[in-house]
Amino acid sequence: MAEFCLKCWNELNGTEHPESKYIMSDDEWLCERCGKWKKVIVIERKSYYLYKFRFFAILFKYIRITLFVLWRLLILPYLIFKYRKSYKEISAKH
């Protein structure tokens, strides 16, 4: 991945984002555009927080799947009754 300092990143993209929008490296790295040793951008904060909270998203996904399966099991007897009733009506017509 390319390493750019904040100044070069803003010049490349034509923006004026502050340093607080990004997570910067702890150590100084060589910026690939200006060639100076500076702190470079590691990741955008929004992506960082989404990455951190992905486990909560997985948890909610499993809870939703579990509730869906339980709901389907709950209405299964009704679906069987409805199917048998429609089958009997079709059989009586023939």
Side-chain angles (χ1 to χ4, degrees):
M1 184 176 159
E3 286 96 17
F4 295 108
C5 63
L6 182 63
K7 180 183 173 198
C8 294
W9 181 257
N10 283 332
E11 288 174 5
L12 282 172
N13 294 316
T15 59
E16 293 187 17
H17 294 149
E19 187 175 336
S20 60
K21 182 177 170 91
Y22 302 101
I23 295 178
M24 305 298 285
S25 63
D26 294 331
D27 300 327
E28 292 185 348
W29 289 74
L30 185 64
C31 175
E32 293 185 8
R33 186 164 190 256
C34 64
K36 296 179 183 175
W37 289 92
K38 296 181 178 180
K39 292 189 178 208
V40 296
I41 296 173
V42 176
I43 193 169
E44 189 177 356
R45 285 199 185 272
K46 178 182 172 187
S47 302
Y48 174 76
Y49 290 124
L50 289 175
Y51 180 76
K52 286 288 188 184
F53 293 117
R54 73 186 185 280
F55 295 114
F56 291 115
I58 291 171
L59 177 67
F60 288 126
K61 180 180 176 183
Y62 287 133
I63 290 172
R64 183 180 54 122
I65 290 171
T66 304
L67 290 175
F68 177 75
V69 169
L70 289 174
W71 173 252
R72 294 300 290 185
L73 287 174
L74 183 69
I75 65 170
L76 183 64
Y78 171 72
L79 294 175
I80 293 171
F81 169 75
K82 188 174 155 183
Y83 173 75
R84 286 186 178 173
K85 184 178 177 182
S86 66
Y87 181 74
K88 287 179 183 177
E89 289 175 0
I90 293 171
S91 299
K93 289 180 182 179
H94 292 304

